Amino acid sequence: MGDQHQVHVWENTYIMAPKDDEKFLPSKVTAVIKNVMDGYLSDKEYQAEDAKIWTLDLSNEIKASVKQDVNIPRYKIIVQVVIGEQASQGVRVASKCLWDTSADNYASYTFENTSLFAVGMVFGCYYE
């Protein structure tokens, strides 16, 4: 009888679309991705073992920066980072999504130096 569970009741907000000043703007998000990736990877040399750790660090840092620096509440932020060795090869990074074209969007940035390339992609999906 001492174990009582609290039940939280949530009311509907009926917010079906983001406000104009709270939309996912790719230009703002791309600037954040560029800032984080340039700062993190500028002095790095490609090492396969380190690249695994770098992708996780970059993904978490980009996600935190986007949430902090860009005013986009009610958005699910998904971050994907690909890092590879620069070896005069051609690489194409692609993705597919099913979303609402009026509210959802994405941004990407490609970083390159003499030994590596990195592609950072951020997807913003609006919570209705």
Side-chain angles (χ1 to χ4, degrees):
M1 197 133 112
D3 258 342
Q4 293 181 351
H5 297 286
Q6 272 190 326
V7 177
H8 295 282
V9 178
W10 300 97
E11 297 277 333
N12 289 335
T13 61
Y14 302 105
I15 301 173
M16 299 301 289
K19 298 175 186 170
D20 286 339
D21 61 336
E22 295 178 346
K23 284 191 175 182
F24 186 102
L25 298 175
S27 59
K28 289 183 179 180
V29 177
T30 300
V32 172
I33 302 168
K34 179 183 183 331
N35 186 26
V36 171
M37 289 181 73
D38 287 350
Y40 191 91
L41 295 172
S42 61
D43 60 343
K44 301 276 197 261
E45 296 272 333
Y46 181 80
Q47 295 293 325
E49 298 80 27
D50 294 339
K52 296 174 189 177
I53 297 164
W54 296 343
T55 57
L56 290 173
D57 289 347
L58 277 170
S59 295
N60 292 331
E61 199 170 323
I62 290 170
K63 186 175 184 178
S65 294
V66 167
K67 285 185 174 186
Q68 180 182 3
D69 299 343
V70 185
N71 181 30
I72 49 174
R74 298 180 58 94
Y75 272 90
K76 170 79 172 172
I77 304 297
I78 301 108
V79 180
Q80 181 180 1
V81 176
V82 177
I83 297 177
E85 185 175 15
Q86 192 77 278
S88 300
Q89 78 278 28
V91 176
R92 183 173 297 216
V93 178
S95 62
K96 280 187 166 182
C97 295
L98 178 64
W99 62 24
D100 177 11
T101 56
S102 66
D104 303 339
N105 215 331
Y106 78 98
S108 67
Y109 174 72
T110 303
F111 172 87
E112 292 184 60
N113 68 15
T114 56
S115 70
L116 64 87
F117 69 90
V119 179
M121 295 172 283
V122 176
F123 302 91
C125 298
Y126 186 72
Y127 283 131
E128 292 179 346

